[in-house]
Amino acid sequence: MPSFPRKVLGLLLILAAVGVASWQALAVSCSSPAAAAETTRHAARHAEPRETHP
Amino acid sequence: MIRVFALVATLTAITILILVVRFKLLGTDDHRRSIPEQPNPAKSLLMFLLTLPVLVAAVVAMARGLLMPMIGNAIGYGLLLGGAWLLWRGLVSEAAYARRLIAKTPFPLKAVGGGLIGLGTGLTAWLGVGHHPGIAFAFGLVALLGCRLFYGGDPVAAKRVTAASGLDTTDQVLAALGQAERAIAAVEQSSRDIRQPELNQRLRRVAALAREILTLLEEDPRDLRRARKFLNVYLDGVQRVVEGYARTHQRAASPDLDANFRRVLTSIEEVFQEQRRKLLESDIMDLDVQIEVLTSQLKREGLL
């Protein structure tokens, strides 16, 4: 791939991943306590093994 | 509070955009040169600026008593910062590699930095934002791919040199050139302590001549044997004399000492100019011999 489009694509991907994750993290930290608590619960739920129903 | 953060966020985003467009997409003077002296500052700064909101998020989460987002953001920011630093060091090392004619393969700093950026992004997306681990993994992967495309890969091949006997002399040449460069840097450092414009100017000329000689030696390492005296005797001598003068000059001013030092510097400059002339002459002699051989070969084959 030529250098210029490769770099532009790379820049867009960096902005889409690193930029979005950074600003989302900031938005979640500044959001209402209920939303933040939901995030905490959500992360903890995925961190623990899931319960299996009989 | 949220409005202030929104304002800061908007201003940072605009700054990043201006920096990137100014230095990266439009290009700077560095881009017009074939070999850049230093990496593009916007390219190095981008990742440091882009990850700043994660640091703010970690502080806000701590202030609000949110344990999991705080841990996620803090670890994520640490990884992102480490990755940004490694990427910057990788760019510096790549510029140095491009400048040199003889160089070893540098450590893949950009690859490791990209990996840390991917890891940090994924962790922030998972613990800091609360995304599903699968989505967080995708964030990390996209960040890694973006770094690979935007910053490029690390240099993989060493720029080696072999002697006429066929022996690989890369390490010896690099060690000799490295020692000489350290001596020149020490001379430049000591010259900053000397508060005499005329002597400073003379020292700058000496340092520039020495660097020119090193470039000639790097272009043709066969001359290294001939320039051994210059590397081992003169450069070390210059370093010792300049360091000694800078120390004494700070304590007490002496016109006799100044006159002696000026005389020594004049002799050094002459010796360095002579050394450069010899190296250039040997190149011309080599070229003369090659032309002679080629001419006789063409005559033999009846083409001349």
Side-chain angles (χ1 to χ4, degrees), chain B:
Chain B
M1 183 76 168
I2 292 169
R3 279 181 191 168
V4 173
F5 277 122
L7 186 67
V8 172
T10 314
L11 287 175
T12 314
I14 290 169
T15 312
I16 291 170
L17 205 64
I18 290 169
L19 279 172
V20 168
V21 169
R22 168 71 186 84
F23 291 107
K24 183 68 212 121
L25 300 182
L26 296 182
T28 61
D29 285 342
D30 283 352
H31 279 166
R32 290 184 199 113
R33 289 182 216 147
S34 56
I35 298 169
E37 289 283 318
Q38 288 293 322
N40 192 328
K43 224 173 170 183
S44 316
L45 268 176
L46 174 76
M47 209 49 90
F48 287 103
L49 291 174
L50 209 57
T51 54
L52 270 180
V54 185
L55 175 67
V56 181
V59 174
V60 171
M62 186 177 73
R64 297 182 71 181
L66 305 167
L67 183 67
M68 198 61 95
M70 186 200 78
I71 292 171
N73 289 329
I75 298 174
Y77 182 68
L79 290 169
L80 289 168
L81 192 65
W85 185 77
L86 284 178
L87 280 173
W88 169 59
R89 294 301 312 164
L91 289 171
V92 171
S93 145
E94 189 183 38
Y97 174 87
R99 254 196 330 269
R100 305 298 300 257
L101 295 168
I102 307 162
K104 284 183 183 172
T105 315
F107 185 78
L109 289 167
K110 286 201 286 184
V112 180
L116 283 186
I117 293 285
L119 203 63
T121 307
L123 204 75
T124 306
W126 178 33
L127 296 177
V129 184
H131 280 306
H132 185 278
I135 298 294
F137 180 74
F139 263 95
L141 212 60
V142 172
L144 180 66
L145 184 64
C147 286
R148 180 71 181 78
L149 291 175
F150 185 62
Y151 291 101
D154 294 283
V156 285
K159 295 177 179 176
R160 300 202 145 301
V161 59
T162 45
S165 58
L167 272 174
D168 188 346
T169 54
T170 310
D171 290 342
Q172 288 166 19
V173 174
L174 282 177
L177 292 177
Q179 195 186 344
E181 270 172 14
R182 277 193 294 279
I184 298 170
V187 167
E188 283 174 333
Q189 178 63 40
S190 301
S191 74
R192 287 188 197 112
D193 299 332
I194 299 170
R195 304 261 179 265
Q196 288 204 28
E198 185 226 329
L199 293 178
N200 280 332
Q201 205 178 354
R202 224 176 254 276
L203 278 170
R204 268 201 297 276
R205 273 207 305 271
V206 167
L209 266 173
R211 282 195 202 286
E212 218 175 301
I213 291 168
L214 288 192
T215 310
L216 286 172
L217 290 175
E218 201 176 343
E219 280 170 6
D220 190 357
R222 285 174 306 167
D223 292 330
L224 203 64
R225 200 164 37 84
R226 271 180 292 202
R228 201 169 287 278
K229 195 175 171 191
F230 162 77
L231 293 171
N232 293 339
V233 180
Y234 288 115
L235 267 183
D236 281 354
V238 172
Q239 185 187 347
R240 274 200 301 275
V241 166
V242 175
E243 281 175 348
Y245 177 76
R247 264 198 310 273
T248 319
H249 173 76
Q250 276 178 335
R251 282 202 296 269
S254 157
D256 287 345
L257 183 69
D258 289 356
N260 277 341
F261 185 60
R262 194 170 289 117
R263 222 176 8 255
V264 168
L265 280 186
T266 311
S267 318
I268 289 167
E269 210 176 331
E270 280 167 10
V271 168
F272 280 21
Q273 271 167 351
E274 179 72 10
Q275 181 71 52
R276 185 185 58 174
R277 195 179 54 76
K278 275 184 188 166
L279 288 172
L280 287 171
E281 267 176 10
S282 79
D283 282 352
I284 292 167
M285 269 167 60
D286 281 354
L287 192 64
D288 279 347
V289 170
Q290 280 171 21
I291 290 170
E292 232 170 80
V293 169
L294 191 65
T295 312
S296 58
Q297 195 181 346
L298 291 173
K299 272 182 186 165
R300 248 198 334 271
E301 289 171 9
L303 294 168
L304 272 181

Side-chain angles (χ1 to χ4, degrees), chain A residues 1-24:
Chain A
M1 189 191 280
S3 174
F4 188 75
R6 174 176 62 80
K7 285 180 181 175
V8 172
L9 182 62
L11 183 62
L12 288 176
L13 289 181
I14 287 173
L15 291 174
V18 184
V20 168
S22 300
W23 291 113
Q24 277 188 336

Side-chain angles (χ1 to χ4, degrees), chain A residues 1 4 6 11 17 30 34 37-39 42-43 53:
Chain A
M1 189 191 280
F4 188 75
R6 174 176 62 80
L11 183 62
C30 296
E38 174 59 29
T39 302
H42 190 75
H53 296 286

